[in-house]
Amino acid sequence: MSNVVIVGTQWGDEGKGKIVDFFTAHADAVVRFQGGNNAGHTLVVKGQKTILHLIPSGVLHPKKICVIGNGVVVDPKILLEEIRALKGAGYLKNEKSLRISELAHVIFPYHQAIDQGREAAKGDAKIGTTGRGIGPCYEDKVARRGIRLAEFIHPEIFAARLRAILPERNAYLESVLRIKPFDAEVLLKEYAPLAAEIRPYVADVGELLRDWAKKKRHLLFEGAQGTSLDIDHGTYPYVTSSNTVAGYAACGSGVGPTEIDQVVGIAKAYTTRVGGGPFPTELQDATGEYLRKQGDEFGSTTGRPRRCGWLDLVVIRHAMRANGLTSLTLTKLDVLSGLKTLRICTGYRLGGKTMKTVPPTVEALQQVQPVYQDIRGWDEDLSGVTRWKQMPAAAKRYVERVETLLGLPIISVSVGPSREQHIVLKNPFK
Ligand code: IMP
Protein backbone atom coordinates (compact mmCIF):
# COMPACT_ATOMS: atom_id res chain seq x y z
CA MET A 1 0.00 0.00 0.00
CA SER A 2 1.32 3.44 -0.86
CA ASN A 3 0.24 7.02 -0.62
CA VAL A 4 2.38 8.94 -3.07
CA VAL A 5 3.08 12.65 -3.53
CA ILE A 6 4.12 13.87 -6.97
CA VAL A 7 5.91 17.24 -7.07
CA GLY A 8 7.75 19.39 -9.57
CA THR A 9 11.48 19.73 -8.97
CA GLN A 10 12.17 22.79 -11.14
CA TRP A 11 10.12 25.92 -11.96
CA GLY A 12 6.91 24.09 -12.85
CA ASP A 13 5.81 22.73 -16.23
CA GLU A 14 7.79 19.53 -15.69
CA GLY A 15 4.98 17.43 -17.14
CA LYS A 16 3.48 16.44 -13.78
CA GLY A 17 -0.05 16.29 -15.16
CA LYS A 18 0.81 13.53 -17.57
CA ILE A 19 2.62 11.49 -14.92
CA VAL A 20 -0.21 11.98 -12.41
CA ASP A 21 -2.69 10.89 -15.07
CA PHE A 22 -0.59 7.80 -15.73
CA PHE A 23 -0.19 6.73 -12.08
CA THR A 24 -3.85 7.48 -11.33
CA ALA A 25 -4.59 4.07 -12.82
CA HIS A 26 -3.01 2.63 -9.62
CA ALA A 27 -4.59 5.07 -7.14
CA ASP A 28 -8.10 5.44 -5.76
CA ALA A 29 -8.11 9.20 -5.34
CA VAL A 30 -6.06 12.13 -6.64
CA VAL A 31 -5.66 15.14 -4.38
CA ARG A 32 -4.53 18.67 -5.24
CA PHE A 33 -3.18 20.49 -2.20
CA GLN A 34 -1.93 23.95 -3.24
CA GLY A 35 -1.99 26.61 -5.94
CA GLY A 36 -4.97 27.39 -8.10
CA ASN A 37 -5.69 28.03 -11.74
CA ASN A 38 -2.18 29.42 -12.21
CA ALA A 39 -1.34 25.79 -12.97
CA GLY A 40 -1.95 24.25 -16.36
CA HIS A 41 -1.79 20.57 -17.08
CA THR A 42 -1.93 19.39 -20.67
CA LEU A 43 -3.08 15.80 -21.06
CA VAL A 44 -3.23 13.86 -24.30
CA VAL A 45 -5.31 10.70 -24.17
CA LYS A 46 -6.07 8.79 -27.36
CA GLY A 47 -5.06 11.83 -29.38
CA GLN A 48 -7.48 14.13 -27.52
CA LYS A 49 -5.91 17.11 -25.75
CA THR A 50 -7.36 18.36 -22.43
CA ILE A 51 -5.95 21.33 -20.52
CA LEU A 52 -6.84 21.51 -16.84
CA HIS A 53 -6.05 24.36 -14.47
CA LEU A 54 -7.79 23.44 -11.27
CA ILE A 55 -9.35 19.99 -11.29
CA PRO A 56 -6.77 17.25 -10.62
CA SER A 57 -5.34 15.53 -13.67
CA GLY A 58 -6.80 12.22 -12.46
CA VAL A 59 -10.26 13.29 -13.64
CA LEU A 60 -9.82 11.56 -17.00
CA HIS A 61 -10.05 8.22 -15.17
CA PRO A 62 -13.70 7.41 -14.54
CA LYS A 63 -14.25 5.76 -11.11
CA LYS A 64 -11.35 7.65 -9.51
CA ILE A 65 -12.15 10.40 -7.05
CA CYS A 66 -10.63 13.84 -7.54
CA VAL A 67 -10.10 16.02 -4.50
CA ILE A 68 -9.31 19.72 -4.15
CA GLY A 69 -7.78 20.28 -0.73
CA ASN A 70 -7.93 23.22 1.67
CA GLY A 71 -4.53 24.50 0.47
CA VAL A 72 -5.89 25.29 -2.99
CA VAL A 73 -7.39 28.66 -3.94
CA VAL A 74 -10.52 28.24 -6.05
CA ASP A 75 -11.78 30.56 -8.76
CA PRO A 76 -15.48 29.64 -8.99
CA LYS A 77 -15.79 30.66 -12.64
CA ILE A 78 -12.83 28.56 -13.74
CA LEU A 79 -13.96 25.64 -11.62
CA LEU A 80 -17.41 25.66 -13.18
CA GLU A 81 -16.00 26.11 -16.68
CA GLU A 82 -13.85 23.00 -16.17
CA ILE A 83 -16.71 21.00 -14.64
CA ARG A 84 -18.99 21.86 -17.57
CA ALA A 85 -16.31 21.11 -20.18
CA LEU A 86 -15.42 17.78 -18.57
CA LYS A 87 -19.08 16.80 -18.29
CA GLY A 88 -19.56 17.75 -21.95
CA ALA A 89 -16.69 15.42 -22.87
CA GLY A 90 -18.28 12.54 -20.96
CA TYR A 91 -16.21 12.79 -17.74
CA LEU A 92 -17.32 13.64 -14.17
CA LYS A 93 -20.64 11.84 -14.50
CA ASN A 94 -21.09 11.65 -10.75
CA GLU A 95 -20.83 14.70 -8.43
CA LYS A 96 -19.27 12.52 -5.75
CA SER A 97 -16.26 11.95 -7.96
CA LEU A 98 -15.15 15.54 -7.31
CA ARG A 99 -14.80 16.64 -3.68
CA ILE A 100 -13.71 20.17 -2.81
CA SER A 101 -12.62 21.19 0.66
CA GLU A 102 -14.96 23.55 2.48
CA LEU A 103 -11.80 25.18 3.86
CA ALA A 104 -10.41 26.19 0.45
CA HIS A 105 -10.32 29.95 -0.15
CA VAL A 106 -12.22 31.61 -2.99
CA ILE A 107 -10.69 33.90 -5.64
CA PHE A 108 -12.76 36.96 -6.56
CA PRO A 109 -12.32 39.57 -9.33
CA TYR A 110 -10.73 42.02 -6.87
CA HIS A 111 -7.90 39.52 -6.35
CA GLN A 112 -7.25 39.43 -10.08
CA ALA A 113 -7.47 43.23 -10.31
CA ILE A 114 -4.89 43.59 -7.52
CA ASP A 115 -2.61 40.96 -9.08
CA GLN A 116 -2.71 42.56 -12.53
CA GLY A 117 -2.65 46.14 -11.25
CA ARG A 118 0.44 45.51 -9.15
CA GLU A 119 2.28 43.78 -11.95
CA ALA A 120 1.49 46.67 -14.32
CA ALA A 121 2.71 49.18 -11.72
CA LYS A 122 6.00 47.30 -11.26
CA GLY A 123 6.99 47.59 -14.94
CA ASP A 124 10.27 45.80 -15.60
CA ALA A 125 10.49 44.65 -11.98
CA LYS A 126 7.33 42.57 -12.28
CA ILE A 127 7.27 38.96 -11.06
CA GLY A 128 5.56 37.80 -14.24
CA THR A 129 2.60 36.28 -12.40
CA THR A 130 -0.18 34.52 -14.27
CA GLY A 131 -2.50 37.39 -13.30
CA ARG A 132 -5.10 34.98 -11.95
CA GLY A 133 -5.33 36.57 -8.49
CA ILE A 134 -3.52 33.70 -6.77
CA GLY A 135 -1.14 35.81 -4.65
CA PRO A 136 -3.75 38.34 -3.43
CA CYS A 137 -6.10 35.46 -2.48
CA TYR A 138 -3.39 33.79 -0.38
CA GLU A 139 -2.60 37.20 1.14
CA ASP A 140 -6.21 37.54 2.22
CA LYS A 141 -6.12 34.03 3.71
CA VAL A 142 -3.11 34.90 5.86
CA ALA A 143 -4.52 38.34 6.70
CA ARG A 144 -7.67 36.57 7.91
CA ARG A 145 -9.94 38.45 5.53
CA GLY A 146 -10.51 35.60 3.07
CA ILE A 147 -13.76 33.88 2.16
CA ARG A 148 -13.69 30.08 2.18
CA LEU A 149 -16.08 27.76 0.39
CA ALA A 150 -17.68 27.05 3.78
CA GLU A 151 -18.82 30.68 3.91
CA PHE A 152 -19.29 31.11 0.17
CA ILE A 153 -21.99 28.43 -0.14
CA HIS A 154 -24.15 30.02 2.58
CA PRO A 155 -25.73 33.09 0.93
CA GLU A 156 -26.15 35.11 4.13
CA ILE A 157 -22.73 34.41 5.52
CA PHE A 158 -21.17 35.10 2.13
CA ALA A 159 -22.98 38.42 1.81
CA ALA A 160 -21.99 39.53 5.30
CA ARG A 161 -18.34 38.55 4.80
CA LEU A 162 -18.04 40.21 1.40
CA ARG A 163 -19.68 43.44 2.59
CA ALA A 164 -17.28 43.55 5.54
CA ILE A 165 -14.14 42.80 3.55
CA LEU A 166 -14.61 44.74 0.34
CA PRO A 167 -14.24 48.35 1.61
CA GLU A 168 -10.65 47.70 2.67
CA ARG A 169 -9.76 46.01 -0.63
CA ASN A 170 -11.49 48.82 -2.55
CA ALA A 171 -9.54 51.45 -0.65
CA TYR A 172 -6.31 49.71 -1.65
CA LEU A 173 -7.40 49.37 -5.27
CA GLU A 174 -8.40 53.02 -5.55
CA SER A 175 -5.71 54.77 -3.58
CA VAL A 176 -2.65 52.63 -4.33
CA LEU A 177 -3.32 51.04 -7.70
CA ARG A 178 -5.76 53.64 -9.08
CA ILE A 179 -8.17 50.92 -10.16
CA LYS A 180 -11.96 51.19 -10.13
CA PRO A 181 -13.47 49.71 -6.96
CA PHE A 182 -15.90 46.76 -6.90
CA ASP A 183 -19.53 46.93 -5.83
CA ALA A 184 -20.37 44.26 -3.24
CA GLU A 185 -23.98 44.00 -4.37
CA VAL A 186 -22.98 43.42 -8.02
CA LEU A 187 -20.47 40.75 -6.97
CA LEU A 188 -23.04 39.06 -4.75
CA LYS A 189 -25.55 38.92 -7.59
CA GLU A 190 -22.99 37.41 -9.91
CA TYR A 191 -21.41 34.97 -7.47
CA ALA A 192 -24.36 33.66 -5.41
CA PRO A 193 -25.61 31.47 -8.31
CA LEU A 194 -22.07 30.15 -8.83
CA ALA A 195 -21.89 29.21 -5.15
CA ALA A 196 -25.14 27.28 -5.47
CA GLU A 197 -23.77 25.38 -8.45
CA ILE A 198 -20.58 24.49 -6.58
CA ARG A 199 -22.29 23.48 -3.31
CA PRO A 200 -22.87 19.79 -4.23
CA TYR A 201 -19.12 19.27 -4.59
CA VAL A 202 -18.12 20.84 -1.26
CA ALA A 203 -17.10 18.40 1.48
CA ASP A 204 -15.10 17.80 4.65
CA VAL A 205 -12.09 16.59 2.70
CA GLY A 206 -9.84 15.96 5.71
CA GLU A 207 -12.35 13.45 7.13
CA LEU A 208 -12.84 11.78 3.76
CA LEU A 209 -9.10 11.31 3.29
CA ARG A 210 -8.67 9.96 6.81
CA ASP A 211 -11.43 7.49 6.16
CA TRP A 212 -9.92 6.35 2.85
CA ALA A 213 -6.44 6.09 4.35
CA LYS A 214 -7.87 3.89 7.12
CA LYS A 215 -9.42 1.64 4.48
CA LYS A 216 -5.97 1.37 2.86
CA ARG A 217 -7.08 3.14 -0.30
CA HIS A 218 -4.24 4.52 -2.40
CA LEU A 219 -3.96 8.30 -2.44
CA LEU A 220 -2.03 10.25 -5.02
CA PHE A 221 -1.21 13.84 -4.08
CA GLU A 222 -0.68 16.06 -7.10
CA GLY A 223 1.62 19.06 -6.67
CA ALA A 224 1.35 22.14 -8.87
CA GLN A 225 4.17 24.48 -9.94
CA GLY A 226 7.65 23.37 -8.80
CA THR A 227 10.05 23.54 -5.87
CA SER A 228 11.91 26.59 -7.18
CA LEU A 229 8.56 28.44 -7.19
CA ASP A 230 7.83 27.53 -3.54
CA ILE A 231 7.13 30.58 -1.37
CA ASP A 232 9.76 29.46 1.19
CA HIS A 233 12.15 27.27 -0.77
CA GLY A 234 12.02 28.93 -4.19
CA THR A 235 13.85 31.82 -5.83
CA TYR A 236 12.08 34.45 -3.71
CA PRO A 237 10.52 36.87 -4.61
CA TYR A 238 10.16 35.32 -8.10
CA VAL A 239 7.94 32.57 -6.75
CA THR A 240 4.29 31.67 -6.44
CA SER A 241 2.37 32.33 -3.21
CA SER A 242 2.02 28.79 -1.90
CA ASN A 243 4.23 26.00 -0.61
CA THR A 244 4.72 23.65 -3.51
CA VAL A 245 6.85 21.10 -1.63
CA ALA A 246 5.69 17.65 -0.59
CA GLY A 247 5.32 18.55 3.10
CA TYR A 248 2.42 20.74 2.13
CA ALA A 249 0.50 17.75 0.75
CA ALA A 250 -0.42 17.00 4.36
CA CYS A 251 -1.11 20.58 5.40
CA GLY A 252 -3.04 21.44 2.25
CA SER A 253 -5.33 18.43 2.38
CA GLY A 254 -5.91 17.82 6.07
CA VAL A 255 -4.10 14.52 6.63
CA GLY A 256 -1.06 14.01 8.81
CA PRO A 257 2.44 13.65 7.34
CA THR A 258 2.60 10.03 8.50
CA GLU A 259 0.07 9.16 5.78
CA ILE A 260 2.68 9.83 3.09
CA ASP A 261 4.84 6.90 2.00
CA GLN A 262 6.66 8.08 -1.09
CA VAL A 263 7.55 11.31 -2.84
CA VAL A 264 8.19 11.22 -6.57
CA GLY A 265 9.88 14.26 -8.10
CA ILE A 266 9.26 15.16 -11.72
CA ALA A 267 12.10 16.73 -13.67
CA LYS A 268 12.19 17.77 -17.28
CA ALA A 269 15.32 16.47 -19.07
CA TYR A 270 16.28 20.16 -19.48
CA THR A 271 15.06 23.26 -17.61
CA THR A 272 12.34 25.84 -18.31
CA ARG A 273 10.90 28.80 -16.48
CA VAL A 274 8.09 31.29 -17.23
CA GLY A 275 7.98 34.76 -15.76
CA GLY A 276 10.89 36.71 -14.31
CA GLY A 277 13.68 35.67 -11.97
CA PRO A 278 17.14 34.12 -12.09
CA PHE A 279 17.81 31.07 -14.25
CA PRO A 280 21.51 30.08 -14.20
CA THR A 281 21.48 27.56 -17.08
CA GLU A 282 19.26 29.64 -19.38
CA LEU A 283 20.16 29.49 -23.09
CA GLN A 284 19.42 32.70 -24.95
CA ASP A 285 20.69 31.31 -28.22
CA ALA A 286 19.78 28.92 -31.03
CA THR A 287 19.92 25.90 -28.68
CA GLY A 288 17.39 27.58 -26.34
CA GLU A 289 15.20 28.28 -29.34
CA TYR A 290 15.58 24.64 -30.47
CA LEU A 291 14.41 23.37 -27.06
CA ARG A 292 11.46 25.78 -27.08
CA LYS A 293 10.41 24.65 -30.54
CA GLN A 294 11.01 20.92 -30.10
CA GLY A 295 9.46 20.91 -26.64
CA ASP A 296 6.54 23.20 -27.57
CA GLU A 297 7.54 25.33 -24.60
CA PHE A 298 4.65 27.77 -24.43
CA GLY A 299 2.66 28.18 -21.20
CA SER A 300 -0.58 26.19 -21.06
CA THR A 301 -2.13 28.87 -18.81
CA THR A 302 -0.91 32.13 -20.36
CA GLY A 303 0.57 31.01 -23.71
CA ARG A 304 3.83 32.82 -22.87
CA PRO A 305 7.02 31.41 -24.40
CA ARG A 306 8.99 29.57 -21.71
CA ARG A 307 12.63 30.37 -21.11
CA CYS A 308 14.72 27.25 -21.81
CA GLY A 309 18.12 25.98 -20.64
CA TRP A 310 20.25 22.96 -19.74
CA LEU A 311 19.37 20.55 -16.97
CA ASP A 312 20.42 22.02 -13.61
CA LEU A 313 21.18 19.39 -10.98
CA VAL A 314 21.82 22.03 -8.29
CA VAL A 315 18.14 22.93 -8.59
CA ILE A 316 17.07 19.27 -8.52
CA ARG A 317 19.34 18.44 -5.55
CA HIS A 318 17.67 21.31 -3.73
CA ALA A 319 14.30 19.75 -4.57
CA MET A 320 15.51 16.34 -3.34
CA ARG A 321 16.20 17.83 0.05
CA ALA A 322 13.19 20.14 0.35
CA ASN A 323 10.74 17.39 -0.67
CA GLY A 324 12.48 14.30 0.69
CA LEU A 325 12.27 12.72 -2.76
CA THR A 326 12.29 8.93 -2.84
CA SER A 327 12.57 8.74 -6.66
CA LEU A 328 12.50 10.76 -9.84
CA THR A 329 10.71 10.71 -13.19
CA LEU A 330 12.46 12.32 -16.14
CA THR A 331 10.17 13.87 -18.75
CA LYS A 332 10.53 15.14 -22.31
CA LEU A 333 13.71 13.19 -23.00
CA ASP A 334 12.65 13.04 -26.68
CA VAL A 335 13.07 16.82 -26.97
CA LEU A 336 16.86 16.49 -26.63
CA SER A 337 17.16 14.38 -29.82
CA GLY A 338 19.23 16.09 -32.49
CA LEU A 339 21.61 17.98 -30.19
CA LYS A 340 25.24 16.97 -30.69
CA THR A 341 26.40 17.65 -27.14
CA LEU A 342 24.26 17.96 -24.03
CA ARG A 343 25.30 19.83 -20.91
CA ILE A 344 24.37 18.96 -17.33
CA CYS A 345 24.97 21.58 -14.63
CA THR A 346 26.50 19.95 -11.55
CA GLY A 347 27.45 23.02 -9.50
CA TYR A 348 27.80 26.81 -9.53
CA ARG A 349 30.89 29.03 -9.37
CA LEU A 350 30.60 32.23 -7.41
CA GLY A 351 33.40 34.45 -6.11
CA GLY A 352 36.06 31.85 -6.95
CA LYS A 353 34.24 29.11 -5.04
CA THR A 354 32.24 26.12 -6.28
CA MET A 355 28.89 25.61 -4.63
CA LYS A 356 26.46 22.66 -4.72
CA THR A 357 23.46 24.47 -3.23
CA VAL A 358 21.18 27.27 -4.42
CA PRO A 359 22.22 30.62 -2.88
CA PRO A 360 19.40 32.37 -0.97
CA THR A 361 19.33 35.71 -2.79
CA VAL A 362 18.30 36.52 -6.32
CA GLU A 363 21.34 38.81 -6.50
CA ALA A 364 23.74 35.89 -5.91
CA LEU A 365 21.82 33.44 -8.12
CA GLN A 366 21.96 35.94 -10.98
CA GLN A 367 25.76 35.99 -10.75
CA VAL A 368 26.58 32.28 -10.50
CA GLN A 369 28.36 30.57 -13.38
CA PRO A 370 27.12 27.03 -14.02
CA VAL A 371 29.70 24.22 -13.93
CA TYR A 372 28.86 21.75 -16.67
CA GLN A 373 29.57 18.13 -17.51
CA ASP A 374 29.22 17.51 -21.23
CA ILE A 375 27.74 14.32 -22.60
CA ARG A 376 27.24 13.13 -26.14
CA GLY A 377 23.77 13.59 -27.58
CA TRP A 378 21.81 11.38 -30.00
CA ASP A 379 19.94 11.81 -33.26
CA GLU A 380 17.37 9.04 -32.97
CA ASP A 381 13.72 9.96 -32.52
CA LEU A 382 12.66 8.66 -29.08
CA SER A 383 8.93 9.30 -29.42
CA GLY A 384 8.21 5.71 -30.44
CA VAL A 385 10.37 4.07 -27.77
CA THR A 386 8.12 2.06 -25.47
CA ARG A 387 10.69 -0.10 -23.66
CA TRP A 388 13.97 0.72 -21.94
CA LYS A 389 15.66 -1.96 -24.05
CA GLN A 390 14.83 0.03 -27.21
CA MET A 391 16.34 3.25 -25.88
CA PRO A 392 19.38 4.41 -27.90
CA ALA A 393 22.62 3.95 -25.96
CA ALA A 394 23.43 7.68 -25.73
CA ALA A 395 19.96 8.50 -24.33
CA LYS A 396 20.33 5.69 -21.78
CA ARG A 397 23.72 7.12 -20.78
CA TYR A 398 22.18 10.57 -20.25
CA VAL A 399 19.49 9.17 -17.94
CA GLU A 400 22.00 7.02 -16.07
CA ARG A 401 24.41 9.95 -15.66
CA VAL A 402 21.63 12.04 -14.08
CA GLU A 403 20.72 9.16 -11.79
CA THR A 404 24.35 8.68 -10.69
CA LEU A 405 25.05 12.39 -10.19
CA LEU A 406 21.93 12.78 -8.06
CA GLY A 407 22.14 9.45 -6.26
CA LEU A 408 18.38 9.08 -6.74
CA PRO A 409 16.58 6.27 -8.60
CA ILE A 410 14.85 7.27 -11.83
CA ILE A 411 11.66 5.24 -11.94
CA SER A 412 10.24 6.35 -15.26
CA VAL A 413 11.09 8.27 -18.40
CA SER A 414 8.61 10.11 -20.60
CA VAL A 415 9.28 10.46 -24.33
CA GLY A 416 6.23 12.33 -25.62
CA PRO A 417 2.97 13.98 -24.57
CA SER A 418 0.63 11.00 -24.79
CA ARG A 419 -0.18 8.54 -22.01
CA GLU A 420 1.49 5.70 -23.92
CA GLN A 421 4.84 7.49 -24.34
CA HIS A 422 6.04 6.60 -20.85
CA ILE A 423 8.59 3.94 -19.92
CA VAL A 424 8.06 2.79 -16.36
CA LEU A 425 11.05 1.12 -14.71
CA LYS A 426 9.45 0.90 -11.27
CA ASN A 427 5.88 1.69 -10.22
CA PRO A 428 5.77 3.56 -6.87
CA PHE A 429 2.37 2.01 -6.06
CA LYS A 430 3.67 -1.54 -6.31
P1 IMP B 1 1.47 33.36 -9.73
O1 IMP B 1 1.49 31.96 -9.24
O2 IMP B 1 0.42 33.62 -10.78
O3 IMP B 1 1.43 34.36 -8.61
O4 IMP B 1 2.87 33.63 -10.47
C1 IMP B 1 4.11 33.65 -9.77
C2 IMP B 1 5.22 32.99 -10.59
O5 IMP B 1 4.96 31.61 -10.66
C3 IMP B 1 5.33 33.49 -12.02
O6 IMP B 1 6.69 33.45 -12.41
C4 IMP B 1 4.54 32.46 -12.80
O7 IMP B 1 4.97 32.38 -14.15
C5 IMP B 1 4.92 31.21 -12.03
N1 IMP B 1 3.93 30.13 -12.15
C6 IMP B 1 2.75 30.01 -11.53
N2 IMP B 1 2.13 28.88 -11.87
C7 IMP B 1 2.95 28.23 -12.70
C8 IMP B 1 2.89 26.96 -13.36
O8 IMP B 1 1.94 26.18 -13.23
N3 IMP B 1 3.94 26.65 -14.15
C9 IMP B 1 5.03 27.46 -14.29
N4 IMP B 1 5.13 28.64 -13.69
C10 IMP B 1 4.11 29.02 -12.90
Side-chain angles (χ1 to χ4, degrees), residues 176-402:
V176 179
L177 298 175
R178 312 262 171 241
I179 291 175
K180 224 171 89 200
F182 287 84
D183 183 326
E185 305 315 310
V186 173
L187 282 183
L188 285 171
K189 210 163 163 204
E190 188 183 0
Y191 276 76
L194 307 185
E197 215 178 318
I198 290 170
R199 190 182 298 127
Y201 299 96
V202 177
D204 183 345
V205 157
E207 273 301 300
L208 274 181
L209 293 179
R210 191 187 67 134
D211 193 39
W212 294 339
K214 257 185 165 171
K215 291 178 179 149
K216 305 285 178 221
R217 302 252 173 95
H218 293 201
L219 306 177
L220 177 52
F221 295 88
E222 170 182 352
Q225 291 87 43
T227 305
S228 285
L229 287 174
D230 182 283
I231 185 77
D232 285 288
H233 304 286
T235 47
Y236 191 88
Y238 294 94
V239 292
T240 192
S241 300
S242 62
N243 283 111
T244 61
V245 291
Y248 205 75
C251 194
S253 67
V255 299
T258 47
E259 299 294 351
I260 295 164
D261 302 295
Q262 298 201 50
V263 182
V264 181
I266 313 296
K268 211 180 270 194
Y270 48 99
T271 312
T272 62
R273 151 160 232 181
V274 263
F279 181 175
T281 62
E282 183 169 14
L283 290 164
Q284 285 169 318
D285 59 7
T287 309
E289 196 50 52
Y290 182 84
L291 291 173
R292 184 156 39 249
K293 205 158 160 240
Q294 296 295 111
D296 193 21
E297 295 295 353
F298 296 88
S300 43
T301 298
T302 57
R304 291 179 289 180
R306 295 178 186 143
R307 300 157 64 193
C308 298
W310 296 119
L311 183 65
D312 186 341
L313 296 190
V314 183
V315 163
I316 298 179
R317 239 183 262 122
H318 174 69
M320 278 170 71
R321 198 245 317 136
N323 294 287
L325 297 186
T326 51
S327 59
L328 194 75
T329 281
L330 209 58
T331 62
K332 296 189 111 168
L333 188 66
D334 55 302
V335 173
L336 296 180
S337 292
L339 292 169
K340 213 172 161 48
T341 304
L342 303 171
R343 314 198 83 183
I344 299 174
C345 169
T346 57
Y348 297 148
R349 293 280 297 164
L350 183 67
K353 290 196 183 118
T354 302
M355 52 207 297
K356 296 275 184 196
T357 54
V358 181
T361 63
V362 159
E363 286 74 9
L365 196 55
Q366 258 153 356
Q367 283 172 33
V368 300
Q369 290 300 321
V371 178
Y372 287 115
Q373 274 194 16
D374 287 355
I375 180 163
R376 194 151 54 85
W378 59 88
D379 280 327
E380 294 93 329
D381 174 11
L382 306 188
S383 61
V385 175
T386 51
R387 284 189 294 164
W388 185 242
K389 273 203 286 199
Q390 302 168 331
M391 189 68 84
K396 262 188 189 167
R397 266 199 299 277
Y398 184 81
V399 175
E400 285 161 359
R401 176 81 63 89
V402 172

Side-chain angles (χ1 to χ4, degrees), residues 56 80 87 94 127 404:
L80 288 170
K87 279 189 167 168
N94 178 356
I127 303 286
T404 307

